[in-house]
Each structure stands twice: as C-alpha cells, then as structure tokens.
Amino acid sequence: IAGTQIAKDAADIILLDDNFASIVTAAKWGRNVYASIQKFLQFQLTVNIAAVVTALVGSFAYAKSPLAAIQLLWVNLIMDSLASLALASEPPTEELLKRQPVNRSKSIIATRMWANMLGQALYQIAVVMFLLFGGAEAFGFEEGHLVESDDGLYPGYKKENSIHYTLIFNTFVWMQLFNEINSRNLEGEFNVFRGIHRNPLFVGILLLTAMLQVVMVEFGGKAMHVHEDGLDGMYWGVSIALGSGSLLVQQVINIVFKYCHLHYGNWREAKRLKASRRLATRHIDATSNS
C-alpha cells in the first residue's frame, strides 16, 4: 500500500479506469487547454496594443483620447470576460495530437502568434489613425476634438458627443469582434471559420457581443459617450466593412509569414550546409598535412 501511494505521488498521470486510451484523452485535453490560453493571449495583446497606441496618439495630438474611459471599459469587458469564455470553450480536435510536444521552457507566445498580433494591431492602428485624422474630411462631419470641446477653447462649439469619435469607437469594437474569429486559429489556417459550428457557445457569445454593441451605440448616449442619435446606416456600413477587413488582413499575414518562413528556412539550411562543407574541407586538409 505504501509503495502504491508513493508511485501515485510521483506520477504525472494516474489511470483510474485501467484504460490506456485515457492517456490519449488526457493529452488531447491538456493540449487544448494550452492552445486556449494561447488564443486568448493572442486576442488580448492585440487589443491592448491597438488601444494603448490609439489613446496615446489622440492625447498627444488633441489632448483627448478618441476612446473614452467608459468605452475602454466596454472593450475590456469584451476582451477579458466574453472573449475568454468564447475562446476557452473550443472543443479539442484530433489535430492537436499531431503537434509536437511543447517544451516547458518554451515561451507561450510563439513566433506565429507575434506575427498575428503585430499584423492585426498595425491594421487596427492604421484604420483608427485614418478615421482620427482623415475621417472628418472623408465623410463630411465635424472633427470630434472640436465638437467635444467647450466654448471657452473653441468659440461656437458646444461640448457634446461627436459622430466622429462614435464612429471610431464602433469601428474599433467591430475590428475586435472579427479578429476574435481569427484568434481561434494559431497555425495560420486559411479557413478561419473551420469548425466554428461545433462551438455554439462561441457563436452565441459573438452574436451577443455584436447585439450589445448595437445597443451601446444607438441607445447609450451620454452613458457610453456616444452621439445622442447614434450612427446612421452609412456609418454602420463603414464600421462593419473596416471591421471585417481583419479577416482579409489575416489571410495576408498567413501568406507573408509562410513566404518568409520558407525562405528563412532555406537560408538557414544553405548556411548549415556551407558550414558543414567548410568543416569537412578543413578536416581533409588537416589529414593531408599530417
């Protein structure tokens, strides 16, 4: 009895049902948990990079962030609570067993994840910067930093929530929602919707978040720091179109990463072969001289 207990204490996995197939199931679920954490980190860090840069640039340019504090709280709710539930609910697949084991000393943020995060963050920042500095001229509304300032600084303007900053907030959230679909994949899969029908919880949370965003923009008013009349159909179309651009950007990231990874691998292999030939030549020369 004492020996059995010592063996249990020293073991990493204990089979309670005398079935070795349980090891496969345990490995599958263990890898799924690890992959779910990676998916959430990939999504969360992308949101953080884009939100921080947006707030800093707006503050430096106009002494006012285009994303209000209450709006950032809503973005954090999407990122921390709803997205974590959605991405952590992915069921395990057989493909997880085909992956190589992960070394315990290896970073949880893989190179591929960095490519996805930086690529998506750059797209989101570019879209927000376009709307912030060129949106008023492109769509014909007044600049948000003027509309949301009082008469003391800008005579003729009454402090109120602007269409400009409401459009930026709405577009920013829709980019996160579409990128949440991208974040389901870690290995550069081109079909980002693959297997989504097997996870009704993910689909339900995504639809719930989208409906809540509509309510926030159309009826949030002062509470959500959005324009009191919401946005009209054209601006909703712009927001969703720019948000869905995240899906296209992900395909571009996949192609560029695959191309760079292939050529980098060929370059390393050629360098290794060259070094091997050089060492072999030195060995032959040393043998001849002796």
Side-chain angles (χ1 to χ4, degrees), residues 102-122:
V102 179
N103 193 302
R104 67 177 63 187
S105 61
K106 185 178 179 180
S107 173
I108 193 172
I109 303 178
T111 305
R112 185 61 195 240
M113 293 172 61
W114 279 113
N116 294 338
M117 290 187 297
L118 294 178
Q120 289 291 342
L122 285 175

Side-chain angles (χ1 to χ4, degrees), residues 52-66 133:
V52 168
V53 172
T54 299
L56 288 176
V57 172
S59 298
F60 289 147
Y62 301 124
K64 180 180 179 63
S65 171
F133 296 109

Side-chain angles (χ1 to χ4, degrees), residues 160-205:
E160 59 184 13
N161 299 329
S162 65
I163 295 177
H164 187 188
Y165 284 177
T166 303
L167 177 62
I168 292 177
F169 164 63
N170 195 38
T171 303
F172 186 81
V173 171
W174 280 101
M175 286 191 293
Q176 310 315 321
L177 292 180
F178 281 101
N179 189 43
E180 191 173 338
I181 299 175
N182 292 325
S183 297
R184 296 178 57 250
N185 302 286
L186 298 169
E187 303 297 327
E189 294 85 348
F190 285 95
N191 183 8
V192 296
F193 295 98
R194 181 181 179 184
I196 197 172
H197 62 281
R198 295 189 293 114
N199 190 358
L201 182 59
F202 179 90
V203 177
I205 291 176

